[in-house]
Each structure stands twice: as C-alpha cells, then as structure tokens.
Amino acid sequence: MSRIQSCFEQCKASGRTALIPFVTAGDPDRSVTVPVMHSMVDAGADIIELGVPFSDPMADGPTIQRSSERALEENTSIHHVLEMVATFRRENETTPVVLMGYLNPIENMGVEQFATAAEAAGVDGVLTVDMPPEEGAEFEQICETHGLDPIYLLAPTSTAKRIGMITSSARGFIYYVSVKGVTGSQAPDLSEVENKVDSIRQQTDLPVGVGFGIRDAASAAAIGAVADAVVVGSVLVSKMEALGETPDRIPAAIGGILSEMRSALDKV
Amino acid sequence: MSNRWTDQPDSKGHFGVYGGIFASETLMAPLEELSEAYTRYMKDEDFLRELDEDLQHYVGRPSPLYHAQRWSDHLGGAQIWLKREDLNHTGAHKVNNTIGQALLAQRMGKSRIIAETGAGQHGVATATVAARLGLECVVYMGEVDVERQKLNVYRMKLLGAKVVPVSSGSKTLKDALNEAMRDWVTNVDDTFYIIGTVAGPHPYPMLVRDFQTIIGREAREQIQQQAGKLPDALVACVGGGSNAIGLFHPFLVDEQIKIYGVEAAGLGLDTDKHAATLNAGKPGVLHGNRTYIIEDENGQIIETHSISAGLDYPGVGPEHSWLKDRGRAEYVAIDDQEALQGFHDLTRIEGILPALESSHALAYITKLAPTMSKDQIIIVNLSGRGDKDIHTVADIEGVEV
C-alpha cells in the first residue's frame, strides 16, 4: 500500500480531515525547506506538497510566482528538490510527499531518470499542473513502475466526461481546484464546492482534496466539512515571503498557521 | 486525399510529436469549446462570408505581391517578390488572425477579449478589432516591451484597450503570455483569449495558422498570374512563426520549393543573447504545447534577446518544430546588425520601411538571392511596416528623433 493510500485510510478510520500544506522548495533559500517540512508535520500536516520551482508558472498567482522566482534566484533545481525529500525521509518515513510543478523541468531531466530518482528519494506522488491525462499515458506508466502516484486536478469547468476520464487515470487522491483562477484566488462558494465534490465522488472512491482560496482556520474548517483533505498554499507562502529576512523564524511561523487550521478541522 | 504536409495536426492537436494540449485542467473544457466552435464556424457560410468581406474591405486584402526589381538587380541573383503584409490595416499580418478570432468570439457570445503582445503589433491588431466590434479589450505586455514600443502602447490606448504591463519573469512576451493565460483561467466564462501566434495549446496553433494562410494562398495565385510560375524559394521571419506558417503552408505540397524560416540570432548564436529557438534550442514544453524551446540545463526557460520585440520569444510554433525535424523547411538565423542592414537596404533601395522583424527575412535574402540565378524567384513575407521601430533604430544609431 502506498504511503498516500495508507495516510488516507488512517484519516478515514479516525474521522480526520487530511491537511495538505504546500510550500515552494528552495524559498527563500534551500536550507529552510526541510525544517519547514518537519514543522508542518509536527503541526498536524498529513501530506506535504512541495513545489518544484519553474520559470513560467502559468497556473499560479503572484504569491507563488514570486516564491518560484526566489527559489530560482537560489538556483534551486529539481535535483535539489529531490535531495530535500531524501533528507526529510531520513527522519520521517511515514508522511507522504507530493511534488507539484510543471512538466518541462521533469522532461528536461528525463521522465525515467526523474522517476527513478524520485522513488529513491522517497517521493510518493507527482502533480504536473500543465499535463492533462490526454498527454500523460507514458508518464503515468513510468510513474507506476516507480511507485509514484500521478495526482490530477479537477476544476469547476471539468465536465462529467472529463471527471470520469481523469478519475480513472489518477492515483492517490484527486485535487479539486475550487475556483476558476490561479493559486491565491478568493474564497470559493461553499455550496458549489460541495456539489462538485459530490459529483466527483459519484465517479471515484479516491479521496478528494480541495484547494485554492483557503486562507485561515475558518475557511479550512468550512472546506474540510465537505472534503477528505484541504490543501493550503498561498497563505503559507505569503508568510514565508514576509519573513524572508529572518528565515530561521519561518518553520515556527508556518507551524503556527497550520496548528490553528488543524484544530479547526478537528472540531468539524 | 489528405497530403502528408497538410493533414496536420491530428484531432488532439499534434504535429508529429509536437503541439498537443499542455494546460491546466480549468482550461481544458474551454479549449474544447473553442475547438468545437472553430470547427463549426469554419464550415458556416455566413461566418466565412463575413470574414471574407472584412479581410477585403476592412483589412484591404488581397495585399499586393510586389516585384522588388531594383533590389533584385542590386543583389544580382534571384528575382525578389515581396508579399506586402505591411500594407494591411494596422500595418502587419497580425490582423488576419485577430479579425478571424474576434468574429469567432462574437459568435461564441464572449464580451471580453484579452491578448498578449510583444512588439505591440498583435496588441494593436486585437485592440482594433475589439474597438470595431465593441468588445472590452485587455492587452498584456511585458514591461520591457512597453518601454521599447511606446508608440504601439499609445495606439492601443487610443483604441480603447487597457494595456497591462507585466513585471514578472523576464518582463517580455513570454511573461505577457503567462499573464494572459492567468486572466483567461480566472475569467473564462465571458472572456476570449486571442493568441497572436501559432503557439499555445490546441486548437490555437491550427486556428491561427488557418487564419494566416490567406497570405500564402494569395501569394500562390498572384505569383502564377504575375510571373507565370511558382516560386523557387520562400523566406519569412520566425518568432512564434505565424507570418511564416501563413506564407509556407499553402506551398508545403510543392516539394521543389525551398522554404526558409529566419530566426533572430540577436548578438550571435554563440552568445546567450539570441532568440533562435529552432537553431539553438531543444524540444520541451512551454505555453501549452510541446515544441522547441530555449532552456537552461535544469529546464528553466531562459530570457531571450533580439533587436526586434516580435521575435524575442523562447518558444516557436509546434508546426515549425515538425517541419524542421521532417526537413521540409530550413531554419536559419540573422543577427541584430544584419537585420538593421536589411532594414536600411529595403528603405533606401525600394522606398519601403520594413519592421525589424521582417528585416531579418530581408537580411537573409541578401545572402540567398546572389546564390540563385536571375530567372529564379524568391517570395519573402514583408510581414509588417517599420514605423513602430523608428525610435529603436534611431536610438541604436545615436540619432535623436
């Protein structure tokens, strides 16, 4: 059983909504990322999404774009990101790690080489924002050989037909993007999210995580009531940007935001 | 019978291994909606009639095919014919496509138009058709380009468009395209994204090409009428490659005709300051399609350089990547200095002021024509006029205008 699958099974058994934080690897510098990962787990994160920086992050809003730029200024490459995961794994063997990014840096490395290295580093899932399943057959096959779950997005614009196609390609969990827009968007309409999550569940037994527009404990709890997991990114990345001059304060500050979300989720 | 050169792309937008749809999930349904609308209206007689009338009476088509006799004599080789896209309304080939896409937007009930622009020609062409159809228009333009193309920025504003300077990344065309995509994904219900070149996710490379092939279809008829035969070679500049594919496509079947795409070598191919994607790049994925791109050793897109903002792009249309790999077209490069010389040559010898983009194609002609005989014919796409570049040229040459 994959780490992602057993994580969701444990959550389900204990009635827990999974909390999935996102940070960009290498932001604001490469030494911060692994301590932040550990502090997120300590604060109640169930799965970690680690952003692989890319020069042209088309699907991201200004907050995550800038984090990508900062990470690239530090020359953070996909090789560095894999090293960070390997370092994290030395102390944590259970928390799943999903890499989130764009296809080109992976293709540049070579999909097979990437998957081999990712497996060795202890990566559990890969979400390539700009690769829909239509283009993903070979990628999925290579991922499967190396025990990596291909994670796919669904959106408010996804038709029932696409939901069917994507849920049959996806492994691990489904990431439902709750609003039309880029990361860091405004809060989604809760009843619309609920309806869409219901229609996704009609077509798959995979857990459904919901992200985009979750900014604080209250919005996390509200989304948590209708989803198996909440994904939170821009609000953490904003905090890291604000503390850019004092990076040693970042792990505790990120842990603080997540602890509040964790307790709010646990009250639902 | 379909021909192997003209039956691309497949139903998923692939030109061989290139093209396709590499977009976030939110855009997949809108892209499919666009494909369906496009397929439907390209068979719709009313739509085609309106497009045709607009091209004739609003754009001023057909554009002339002009025999540059004095320049041909001067170079002492092949006869050079200029396809005068510079004479179109708004001064470049870009309007052929914006007219088509804006009519499509109107048919699809979209009230808001967005576009990205590099040199500003596509932005102006988009703002122009938006004004005429009474559609709201927002144009994204890199901060660097806003600075070097002030005249076009003001033209767009006069036309009622909102110009949004983009300050992320390298602050040029690629970043404007990212920003336009972000706008589209956010406002997808009422917004139509008019992409200006033959790149982006399917169906854009096909759709933009089809609207631009009016260039090649006219040229094919004109040259046979005016010179009594088909040309021996075609030359056009390639940034994203829309003017080039527009000229090339209707001639792909004539395999005896040599085809040259001219990229921007900037300060030289041996420096890191160029935009010659097909000459110096390698296949990757950028802006929704698989194609040649310029990237670093870690797959990050590199900032490009060209004297001409319209060629300053680290990708290229996927069909060009396919034509390169199949050997049907040859892609060469011309540097900033050579392009400037081409600009001056045509201005002095023929009294035609070309855009710096087109000047790259002209500069290649000065190399190619002398190697050919006097009874041979080259058609070069004069894709735009050079008024917009006067300040750039004057600055470089230390002249105050």
Side-chain angles (χ1 to χ4, degrees), chain B residues 139-401:
Chain B
V139 179
Y140 291 93
M141 190 169 185
E143 263 181 4
V144 170
D145 293 333
V146 167
E147 185 50 41
R148 61 180 165 179
Q149 299 287 345
K150 286 181 194 154
L151 187 64
N152 273 343
V153 173
Y154 188 53
R155 282 169 84 190
M156 288 185 266
K157 287 181 181 166
L158 287 173
L159 289 159
K162 185 178 160 201
V163 179
V164 182
V166 177
S167 60
S168 58
S170 62
K171 307 176 176 56
T172 57
L173 178 57
K174 81 173 176 75
D175 311 286
L177 216 150
N178 290 334
E179 209 55 39
M181 280 284 181
R182 291 177 187 124
D183 179 315
W184 196 31
V185 90
T186 308
N187 302 295
V188 71
D189 292 332
D190 67 346
T191 298
F192 189 106
Y193 180 15
I194 299 190
I195 292 187
T197 191
V198 283
H202 178 69
Y204 283 103
M206 170 181 79
L207 178 157
V208 176
R209 174 197 72 194
D210 291 351
F211 287 131
Q212 290 294 0
T213 52
I214 184 82
I215 301 171
R217 282 182 277 129
E218 283 177 6
R220 208 167 192 286
E221 240 174 68
Q222 288 167 321
I223 196 72
Q224 292 182 91
Q225 246 170 38
Q226 293 173 241
K229 59 175 183 175
L230 287 171
D232 298 282
L234 306 173
V235 179
C237 64
V238 177
S242 70
N243 90 82
I245 209 76
L247 175 65
F248 298 168
H249 198 262
F251 291 98
L252 290 176
V253 294
D254 308 292
E255 298 196 33
Q256 77 285 3
I257 299 178
K258 291 215 159 89
I259 296 180
Y260 300 95
V262 185
E263 296 194 310
L267 301 182
L269 287 185
D270 52 348
T271 71
D272 59 359
K273 299 264 182 221
H274 64 75
T277 311
L278 290 165
N279 278 274
K282 62 176 217 169
V285 173
L286 177 66
H287 292 150
N289 65 101
R290 188 187 301 285
T291 190
Y292 278 76
I293 57 172
I294 299 181
E295 61 181 350
D296 70 10
E297 70 279 10
N298 293 312
Q300 307 297 342
I301 308 307
I302 300 178
E303 200 172 321
T304 51
H305 165 83
S306 168
I307 187 174
S308 107
L311 301 184
D312 205 349
Y313 180 61
V316 65
E319 193 162 12
H320 287 291
S321 296
W322 181 72
L323 290 171
K324 173 193 160 77
D325 283 7
R326 297 292 295 264
R328 179 65 190 96
E330 191 180 328
Y331 294 88
V332 297
I334 284 292
D335 69 24
D336 287 354
Q337 284 307 317
E338 293 170 316
L340 265 177
Q341 191 57 49
F343 173 90
H344 285 301
D345 285 351
L346 198 74
T347 305
R348 291 275 176 83
I349 298 171
E350 292 287 352
I352 298 171
L353 202 79
L356 282 174
E357 289 77 19
S358 324
S359 299
H360 286 72
L362 300 169
Y364 187 66
I365 293 284
T366 63
K367 297 184 178 184
L368 179 65
T371 69
M372 294 168 66
S373 69
K374 287 184 180 173
D375 59 352
Q376 289 188 299
I377 291 173
I378 306 173
I379 297 179
V380 56
N381 199 3
L382 187 50
S383 55
R385 69 178 184 221
D387 308 48
K388 70 181 174 62
D389 296 313
I390 286 179
H391 287 277
T392 305
V393 174
D395 272 355
I396 290 169
E397 295 176 350
V399 177
E400 207 162 311
V401 181

Side-chain angles (χ1 to χ4, degrees), chain A residues 55 57 60 107 157-158 180, chain B residues 25-26 182 189 290 300-301:
Chain A
S55 54
D60 286 298
E107 285 215 338
T157 52
S158 303
K180 294 172 196 161
Chain B
E25 175 59 22
T26 311
R182 291 177 187 124
D189 292 332
R290 188 187 301 285
Q300 307 297 342
I301 308 307

